[in-house]
Amino acid sequence: MWIYQTDYTPKGVIVVIHGAVEHHGRYHWLKEHWLEEGYHVILGDLPGQGLSNRKRGHIDSFEEYLKEVHSWLSEAQSFLLPIFAIGHSMGGLVLVRLLQKHTIPLDGVILSSPALGLRFKPAPPLNVLAKGMNVLMPRLQMSPGLTPNIATRNKHIVDSDSNDSLMLQKVSVRWYSELVKAMELAFKEMSEFPDVPLLIMQGGNDKIVDKQLVKQWFNEYDGTEKMYKEWPGLYHEIFNEPEREQVFRFCTRFVQMHAQGFHMSVDQR
């Protein structure tokens, strides 16, 4: 876990949860922008990814992700400020499952192209063998078949990812099985998701996540304050796309509105 504190009077805390096969270091641009806006930022690497000391590309249970992110959110509470969680792709799925299972005080949730269903199908060996090998050889690893150029149109990011040794090249069959199960449970346990201000931002030309299933989950969520924003033409990684400044500004308006509500309630006491 890495904690970065803004140089300005803090307005709140942003907890960022990265996606599959990547790591927290890819969110430097986003972190710097939040710091400039006056928010502390907490980042971490999920188990088996980035600089985590777990076996790379493997988890025994999706619960490992929930436990890790729970610790980041607990750390955020120590600042006694509004807390906002941003989950990208699989990080969004982790956040959904965590909030479906645990009561955690948050002032807002932002899901960025959340992995609630896949448009991209993994390489055939992983997709076909996952069920059987999950029991016999759960740690067997294969390439997921993901390439940087289907995640973003930002050439600088694509080139950087292609030479990034921290990006996972292989994942285990247990990892894939746990991912699929978590996506199914995100729908089955919809009623357990708390009534919290929710913003879902989705790339309109996402080649990895099935945006129709994201819309379905959003429509089935019976929250009192929710917003769905689709960005036409953008690929999966909306915070890395050439239009990311626009995406960030939209996101900040959502956060600022709810952070201001927190300060108003404090002033009225």
Side-chain angles (χ1 to χ4, degrees):
M1 181 194 316
W2 290 263
I3 302 172
Y4 303 90
Q5 296 191 36
T6 180
D7 292 330
Y8 306 102
T9 301
K11 303 173 184 175
V13 185
I14 306 292
V15 179
V16 181
I17 308 155
H18 69 75
V21 311
E22 57 166 347
H23 57 91
H24 84 282
R26 299 185 72 246
Y27 291 80
H28 175 78
W29 180 91
L30 186 60
K31 175 201 72 178
E32 291 299 313
H33 274 59
W34 281 119
L35 292 174
E36 280 296 313
E37 288 291 327
Y39 293 86
H40 300 322
V41 179
I42 294 179
L43 291 159
D45 284 334
L46 293 172
Q49 299 187 211
L51 297 173
S52 165
N53 58 8
R54 310 279 185 89
K55 179 175 174 58
R56 286 176 58 78
H58 175 75
I59 52 170
D60 290 318
S61 168
F62 206 78
E63 191 71 29
E64 294 175 44
Y65 290 155
L66 309 193
K67 183 177 179 180
E68 182 66 23
V69 173
H70 200 317
S71 71
W72 304 349
L73 293 171
S74 296
E75 185 65 31
Q77 292 174 25
S78 66
F79 287 103
L80 301 179
L81 291 167
I83 301 172
F84 299 89
I86 301 177
H88 171 67
S89 192
M90 187 185 76
L93 177 62
V94 171
L95 187 53
V96 167
R97 292 298 298 135
L98 178 60
L99 296 179
Q100 286 176 331
K101 299 189 70 173
H102 299 278
T103 301
I104 301 174
L106 291 175
D107 294 88
V109 170
I110 299 104
L111 303 179
S112 161
S113 300
L116 295 165
L118 298 179
R119 179 183 175 192
F120 170 83
K121 300 303 179 185
L126 181 61
N127 197 27
V128 174
L129 299 176
K131 287 188 178 180
M133 300 306 290
N134 183 40
V135 176
L136 299 174
M137 299 179 66
R139 289 176 173 259
L140 177 66
Q141 295 197 338
M142 303 178 186
S143 169
L146 282 169
T147 55
N149 63 306
I150 68 170
T152 178
R153 293 145 51 230
N154 187 327
K155 188 177 184 303
H156 172 74
I157 299 295
V158 171
D159 291 344
S160 176
D161 288 350
S162 299
N163 296 289
D164 187 346
S165 62
L166 291 180
M167 297 289 284
L168 291 179
Q169 301 302 315
K170 293 185 177 182
V171 294
S172 69
V173 292
R174 172 63 56 82
W175 176 90
Y176 180 67
S177 295
E178 288 294 299
L179 176 69
V180 172
K181 183 167 68 174
M183 289 189 291
E184 294 171 352
L185 289 172
F187 281 90
K188 289 180 180 178
E189 299 184 6
M190 171 67 71
S191 62
E192 301 302 316
F193 194 81
D195 190 0
V196 59
L198 171 69
L199 169 62
I200 293 183
M201 297 196 295
Q202 174 63 49
N205 195 17
D206 196 326
K207 300 180 183 301
I208 297 175
V209 160
D210 187 337
K211 70 178 185 181
Q212 298 304 327
L213 287 175
V214 174
K215 288 181 182 177
Q216 179 184 334
W217 189 92
F218 174 82
N219 290 332
E220 291 181 9
Y221 169 56
D222 190 27
T224 56
E225 185 177 353
K226 63 179 185 177
M227 180 185 301
Y228 177 89
K229 169 64 176 175
E230 184 170 314
W231 295 90
L234 270 63
Y235 280 18
H236 182 61
E237 295 188 345
I238 58 175
F239 286 115
N240 277 333
E241 285 288 80
E243 301 85 354
R244 61 185 179 180
E245 289 284 354
Q246 295 174 249
V247 175
F248 179 74
R249 287 299 150 205
F250 190 93
C251 190
T252 57
R253 287 195 288 272
F254 172 84
V255 169
Q256 288 169 355
M257 178 172 60
H258 295 93
Q260 288 170 357
F262 171 89
H263 291 300
M264 287 175 63
S265 65
V266 170
D267 292 341
Q268 292 168 357
R269 291 175 188 167

